[in-house]
Amino acid sequence: MSKTTMNNGQPGVGGEGGAVVEVFLQLRKYYWRYRYLGLASLVFVVLTSALGLVSPQLLRMLVDRVMISGHYDELPYLALGVVGVAIVQGACRYGRRYLGHVFGANSVFDLRNALYLKLQSLSFAYYDTARTGDLMARLVGDVAVFRQFVSFGFANLLSSLLMIIFGFSMMSSINWRLSLLALATTPFLAVAAFRFRSVVHPAFSRLREAIADMSTAAQENITGVRTVKSFAREPHQIEIFSKRVDNVVDRHMQTVAIWKKFFPTMDLIGNMSMLLLLYVGGREVILERMSMGDLVASFSLIWYIVSPVQQLGYQINSFTQAVAAGERLVEILGAPETVRNSPDARPLDRIAGHVQFDNVTFSYDGLHPAVQDINLTVEAGAVVGIIGPTGSGKSTLVSLIPRFYDPDEGRVLIDGQDVRDVIVEDLRRQIGIVFQETFLFSTSIRENIAFGNRDVPMSKIEEAARMADAHDFIMELPQGYDTLVGERGIGLSGGQRQRIAIARALLTDPRILILDDATASVDMETEFEIQKALRNLLEGQKRTTFVIAHRISSVKDADLIIVLENGRIVERGTHDELYELGGVYRRICDVQLGDRIDLAG
């Protein structure tokens, strides 16, 4: 498995049993701190199981002493005993379920927080291949399945085990022949139950994967609903989703097919046990080797033995789902953090903004370099334009500055310090980035602009908006800066979203500013206003700026322009120098100038 791909297979830690143990050991720290709640719940499990043995004894006395021997005066006491046992047993069951809920809820609270923190700490490389729908299925569905088992699954398994042990012990004290009869049939039930587990576990793993695929399809369709409708592709998307749903149904029916073979078999073995008990026990009564009360008590106890073994199928079902869900959660928690602070990482004070690429090579897959042999020195306060065809490595190059990725070879230096040697949070706080694909949160415009610095006054927010040429259109909105934008900012135009993103980056007062084709979604007039505001800002603040663009107009005034092609720097210089050079940059200029002439004609 690659370091960025989530494995949907089963972890192979010492075989299947080792894998199961490994899952619960890796998740242990999330539920172990609440073990006293769990242990208290188990105490009630023991009490409930033990009290269950009292009723067969009361039935035994009711038959032998009241119905046969005629001690009718004991009937009220026996009846009160049955009622008392039922009340106490009900209270124990309540305590068991209440504590189980509290234990599970607290455990899952910590687990969900840990998963979210892990997702926040994972690098860009992880999200290059991760699917949002799959992650949501794990955070919601798999966590809920694991919680159900932690709350009640283990307690139910213990209850079944205790009932079998107590039942055998009590039956042996009544009639050892009947206990041996029950013991002889139990292994068949146990073998069937464990055979069921070995078959149903892979089936549940496939089912949960199918559910994740379905969630991904739904999430992508909802997110891209405007694209779907604009191309009138609703029937196509419905067909895709229907196929995913059909796959879930098919996987579910595969598990049902396993159940329908297993449970009738368990019922048949259990009923055969009852028939044998009646036959052998009846002969024992006829031969006067046991009383009728003993037979009634034994008949009650056989259910105490057979029923838990039959329920093993359900318990194993729950256990198997929990293991399958736990494996998927462990995959997230165990995903490698490819970019993280080194043990001796140093704090990074206020930087000047001097940036150097020292023989840098980087590839996403380890095979095909996205950028290669990059040597570039940028003085603090300089404006660098980066231009080149699609796929030439422009965005990749600037992504190495804030350590979204680490180079495979070479170094990226800021003020002479390798970015891998400083605390990554200190580094990123001093870098402002406006991505080509703008993302806004579904909250107010004010909160979106202040996302990187929540403590600034409103005057600073407005100042940043003016710099990005966003203040005027914001004030025209119904609630101004308090206007709520739709999910992902869908309530605004592309240009408006881009200007808010620029304001968000400027508000943090970054020493290095990265504009990744930030004006691609705005019209020419708005682009001119934004560039004018940015030039005024940059002249006053002397911050180092990297401008990725397809339009020559966005980079022609830069102090240095580099031209990338196939991941390499093929040209560098000012606008005039590169134009006179007559190479790639000149061809780009001529194409764009030619387009304008055609439009004018």
Side-chain angles (χ1 to χ4, degrees):
M1 179 180 77
S2 70
K3 64 184 179 181
T4 61
T5 302
M6 290 182 293
N7 178 21
N8 287 328
Q10 308 308 322
V13 186
E16 187 178 4
V20 170
V21 173
E22 184 71 13
V23 167
F24 283 96
L25 284 178
Q26 291 191 48
L27 297 176
R28 176 176 178 268
K29 62 182 178 181
Y30 304 110
Y31 58 80
W32 191 247
R33 62 181 295 189
Y34 305 108
R35 60 188 179 277
Y36 297 112
L37 288 170
L39 290 173
S41 174
L42 296 182
V43 169
F44 283 113
V45 170
V46 175
L47 291 175
T48 303
S49 301
L51 286 170
L53 298 175
V54 177
S55 295
Q57 291 297 333
L58 293 175
L59 287 174
R60 179 185 182 186
M61 294 173 64
L62 181 65
V63 172
D64 286 345
R65 295 188 58 81
V66 177
M67 297 177 65
I68 295 178
S69 299
H71 297 138
Y72 299 112
D73 57 319
E74 297 180 6
L75 180 60
Y77 301 104
L78 292 173
L80 287 174
V82 172
V83 173
V85 168
I87 292 173
V88 176
Q89 208 170 15
C92 290
R93 286 197 180 99
Y94 173 81
R96 166 190 169 182
R97 295 194 65 82
Y98 175 77
L99 291 173
H101 274 296
V102 175
F103 174 55
N106 282 282
S107 301
V108 166
F109 176 81
D110 288 350
L111 178 58
R112 275 207 175 99
N113 281 339
L115 287 166
Y116 188 77
L117 290 174
K118 180 68 177 183
L119 290 173
Q120 293 296 308
S121 66
L122 288 171
S123 311
F124 273 51
Y126 180 85
Y127 291 101
D128 288 341
T129 55
R131 299 177 302 165
T132 303
D134 179 69
L135 293 178
M136 292 304 299
R138 297 183 189 220
L139 285 173
V140 179
D142 290 339
V143 168
V145 169
F146 190 79
R147 173 192 177 279
Q148 183 66 21
F149 181 78
V150 169
S151 298
F152 306 111
F154 183 75
N156 290 336
L157 283 173
L158 177 61
S159 175
S160 297
L161 180 63
L162 290 176
M163 289 175 68
I164 293 170
I165 293 174
F166 290 168
F168 269 123
S169 301
M170 181 66 69
M171 187 177 288
S172 297
S173 68
I174 295 174
N175 188 297
W176 63 270
R177 294 181 182 84
L178 293 183
S179 65
L180 289 178
L181 178 64
L183 183 64
T185 58
T186 300
F188 294 101
L189 292 168
V191 169
F194 284 102
R195 171 61 181 165
F196 171 72
R197 187 226 176 268
S198 66
V199 176
V200 81
H201 175 61
F204 270 117
S205 295
R206 292 190 295 267
L207 175 60
R208 301 215 65 79
E209 291 167 15
I211 293 173
D213 289 340
M214 181 183 68
S215 299
T216 298
Q219 180 269 330
E220 288 178 347
N221 189 72
I222 293 171
T223 303
V225 66
R226 290 195 171 191
T227 302
V228 173
K229 288 185 175 296
S230 65
F231 285 92
R233 296 291 285 171
E234 293 94 337
H236 175 69
Q237 291 302 111
I238 291 172
E239 181 182 356
I240 291 177
F241 186 72
S242 296
K243 288 180 178 178
R244 301 286 177 89
V245 173
D246 288 342
N247 190 34
V248 171
V249 174
D250 289 342
R251 297 291 173 86
H252 182 72
M253 293 309 298
Q254 290 174 11
T255 60
V256 171
I258 298 171
W259 295 344
K260 72 180 183 181
K261 294 177 182 178
F262 168 75
F263 289 113
T265 302
M266 295 292 284
D267 289 338
L268 177 62
I269 296 174
N271 290 328
M272 291 297 294
S273 300
M274 301 303 300
L275 289 174
L276 286 172
L277 176 68
L278 285 175
Y279 175 75
V280 175
R283 285 182 58 84
E284 292 289 296
V285 172
I286 292 172
L287 296 174
E288 298 183 350
R289 287 194 292 219
M290 66 183 297
S291 68
M292 182 62 71
D294 290 340
L295 178 61
V296 172
S298 297
F299 191 78
S300 177
L301 287 169
I302 193 64
W303 282 113
Y304 218 72
I305 299 170
V306 172
S307 180
V309 178
Q310 288 180 319
Q311 292 297 316
L312 276 177
Y314 293 100
Q315 309 304 336
I316 289 173
N317 182 3
S318 172
F319 173 71
T320 300
Q321 291 192 63
V323 172
E327 287 169 350
R328 288 162 53 80
L329 299 177
V330 166
E331 284 175 8
I332 295 178
L333 295 169
E337 299 174 23
T338 54
V339 174
R340 60 190 306 176
N341 290 321
S342 63
D344 55 350
R346 301 185 301 271
L348 183 64
D349 297 328
R350 185 74 168 169
I351 62 175
H354 181 277
V355 179
Q356 181 181 358
F357 291 85
D358 181 16
N359 199 33
V360 168
T361 296
F362 169 76
S363 67
Y364 291 98
D365 58 6
L367 299 174
H368 307 92
V371 291
Q372 189 171 6
D373 301 327
I374 301 295
N375 288 284
L376 176 67
T377 299
V378 179
E379 298 298 329
V383 178
V384 179
I386 305 176
I387 198 164
T390 300
S392 59
K394 302 185 295 297
S395 296
T396 300
L397 182 65
V398 296
S399 294
L400 299 174
I401 300 173
R403 274 197 80 193
F404 292 158
Y405 305 90
D406 282 333
D408 300 327
E409 299 176 14
R411 301 179 300 165
V412 178
L413 307 172
I414 293 183
D415 291 356
Q417 301 183 75
D418 193 322
V419 295
R420 289 171 291 197
D421 296 334
V422 300
I423 296 175
V424 68
E425 292 80 9
D426 290 350
L427 171 67
R428 291 176 182 172
R429 287 192 191 101
Q430 302 189 59
I431 299 175
I433 305 174
V434 181
F435 294 103
Q436 183 176 2
E437 297 181 4
T438 304
F439 180 90
L440 298 181
F441 295 92
S442 53
T443 181
S444 69
I445 291 176
R446 175 174 53 84
E447 290 176 331
N448 269 288
I449 295 176
F451 181 75
N453 191 350
R454 295 290 187 180
D455 299 326
V456 296
M458 189 63 200
S459 59
K460 291 290 185 181
I461 295 175
E462 292 183 2
E463 180 182 350
R466 286 191 174 92
M467 292 177 185
D469 194 35
H471 177 76
D472 292 340
F473 88 77
I474 292 174
M475 295 308 296
E476 292 174 359
L477 296 173
Q479 295 173 306
Y481 283 85
D482 291 322
T483 300
L484 297 177
V485 299
E487 186 177 3
R488 301 173 64 90
I490 203 168
L492 302 173
S493 69
Q496 290 172 333
R497 291 198 301 270
Q498 201 72 291
R499 281 179 277 176
I500 290 174
I502 293 172
R504 178 169 60 191
L506 295 176
L507 186 64
T508 60
D509 189 24
R511 302 308 305 145
I512 298 175
L513 179 63
I514 298 173
L515 303 175
D516 188 353
D517 216 0
T519 58
S521 299
V522 301
D523 56 73
M524 298 293 290
E525 182 179 355
T526 303
E527 179 189 9
F528 175 78
E529 294 297 329
I530 293 175
Q531 289 174 355
K532 179 181 177 182
L534 289 175
R535 281 195 297 271
N536 295 335
L537 174 70
L538 297 176
E539 288 174 3
Q541 298 296 326
K542 295 297 182 183
R543 57 169 50 87
T544 307
T545 305
F546 293 84
V547 181
I548 296 175
H550 286 92
R551 296 172 183 168
I552 295 295
S553 59
S554 298
V555 299
K556 66 182 181 64
D557 294 325
D559 301 313
L560 173 67
I561 300 172
I562 65 171
V563 182
L564 287 174
E565 196 169 55
N566 297 323
R568 297 177 182 271
I569 297 178
V570 294
E571 294 176 1
R572 69 180 78 197
T574 64
H575 170 75
D576 293 336
E577 291 170 348
L578 294 178
Y579 192 82
E580 291 297 326
L581 188 63
V584 177
Y585 185 82
R586 174 69 172 267
R587 291 200 303 270
I588 296 173
C589 288
D590 290 344
V591 168
Q592 294 190 12
L593 180 60
D595 289 342
R596 292 178 185 176
I597 293 174
D598 290 342
L599 289 172

